[in-house]
Amino acid sequence: MNSAGRLDVAVVGAGRVGPVLGAALRTAGHRVTGITARTRQAAERVEALLPDVPWIEPEDAFTADLVLLAVPDDVLGPLVTGLAPNVRPGQLVVHTCGLHGLGVLEPAARHGALTLALHPAMTFTGTSLDLQRLVGAAVAVTTPPVLAPVADALVREWGATPVAVADADRAVYHAALAHGSNHLVTLVAQALDAARAAVGQDAERVLRPLLQAALDNALREGDAALTGPVARGDAGTVATHLRVLGDLDPATAATYARLARVGADRAQAAGRLTPTAAAAVRTELTAGEP
């Protein structure tokens, strides 16, 4: 360990997350002693964010005080199992996956590792822009109570804000983030394609303020933020939308129909749509399904 509580840190994983978090820790005064990088793109990312940090093999990471495992969810378990014999008792082993809690690190814990699960709730680009976006971002923290102060300090050194997530809740936490962010991208991309058919290159300019307002309203008000033909029970408008979208792209029409059905269900449950109006909307949705 360096002076004043500074740590030697090794990063396993040179995708979009590892080099950024390593750079954030280095900015906080820790020393990054090595990082695994196996592709040219990864090497370029490392050089941009962590210049002069040497490439290492994964097993060599365990000479550091803190080993940061920044690898995909499905890779993490086998990786930990394979690397666990290299653990030194008292060593911090941290993973950044959203899906997993502490269970996936149990092989390392059996060899004496102090384990933490820290998942930043943000999308990474793998560039220095992420360092700015980390500031104030939420980080899901799953840790034994005795290590909570350590987790809190690491997250705050990233510039982020810790949010406790119980081990048993990690999967639903991760599913919520993936459902909201990944599916939002698909939805917006489909909306852009349809809008371009009507307004050409002005599609982004037309959609941006509407989508930003809808997101802000939904986060603040939930189902009460729903507007448009489904919330009003305008079944005829829904039918027209399905027809024109089906002509453009059946997949977009199918997405519209599925989400409109869920929207009608939630609007009715919230008392915003009468059963009669909701039934009329569902009838048009069924008739217009691709």
Side-chain angles (χ1 to χ4, degrees):
M1 182 180 294
N2 295 316
S3 60
R6 300 298 85 186
L7 302 172
D8 285 346
V9 178
V11 181
V12 177
R16 295 183 177 186
V17 177
V20 172
L21 297 182
L25 288 171
R26 186 159 74 168
T27 298
H30 301 289
R31 185 167 74 100
V32 181
T33 59
I35 186 169
T36 62
R38 298 186 180 278
T39 67
R40 177 176 295 277
Q41 184 179 26
E44 292 172 351
R45 185 180 295 119
V46 170
E47 183 58 31
L49 287 162
L50 293 169
D52 303 322
V53 171
W55 297 9
I56 58 173
E57 294 299 318
E59 56 270 19
D60 296 330
F62 290 84
T63 61
D65 304 310
L66 186 157
V67 180
L68 184 68
L69 304 176
V71 299
D73 295 308
D74 290 352
V75 172
L76 182 60
L79 179 70
V80 172
T81 298
L83 293 177
N86 299 286
V87 168
R88 293 182 293 111
Q91 189 170 45
L92 289 167
V93 176
V94 180
H95 80 70
T96 63
C97 291
L99 177 66
H100 299 293
L102 298 178
V104 72
L105 295 176
E106 182 57 30
R110 287 197 296 268
H111 284 79
L114 305 177
T115 57
L116 309 171
L118 307 177
H119 176 255
M122 59 176 272
T123 298
F124 284 79
T125 64
T127 69
S128 60
L129 293 174
D130 295 334
L131 295 171
Q132 303 168 29
R133 295 173 63 238
L134 262 175
V135 177
V139 174
V141 173
T142 304
T143 178
V146 69
L147 293 179
V150 176
D152 185 89
L154 287 172
V155 170
R156 295 189 186 282
E157 285 181 333
W158 289 343
T161 303
V163 176
V165 178
D167 209 319
D169 294 332
R170 291 286 290 209
V172 71
Y173 153 81
H174 192 239
L177 269 60
H179 184 43
S181 62
N182 301 152
H183 298 163
L184 178 63
V185 171
T186 301
L187 177 63
V188 172
Q190 287 185 336
L192 272 172
D193 288 343
R196 288 189 183 114
V199 299
Q201 294 307 307
D202 286 329
E204 180 182 337
R205 184 162 59 87
V206 169
L207 284 174
R208 181 181 296 276
L210 177 66
L211 297 181
Q212 288 179 333
L215 176 59
D216 290 342
N217 291 341
L219 289 172
R220 185 172 57 251
E221 301 174 18
D223 288 320
L226 184 64
T227 62
V230 169
R232 294 191 299 267
D234 291 342
T237 301
V238 169
T240 299
H241 288 176
L242 287 173
R243 176 175 56 79
V244 297
L245 289 175
D247 291 341
L248 284 172
D249 176 30
T252 298
T255 302
Y256 182 106
R258 293 188 184 101
L259 290 177
R261 182 174 286 105
V262 175
D265 291 344
R266 294 182 69 96
Q268 182 180 354
R272 301 199 54 221
L273 194 60
T274 67
T276 300
V281 169
R282 293 190 193 100
T283 296
E284 295 298 342
L285 290 170
T286 301
E289 281 184 333

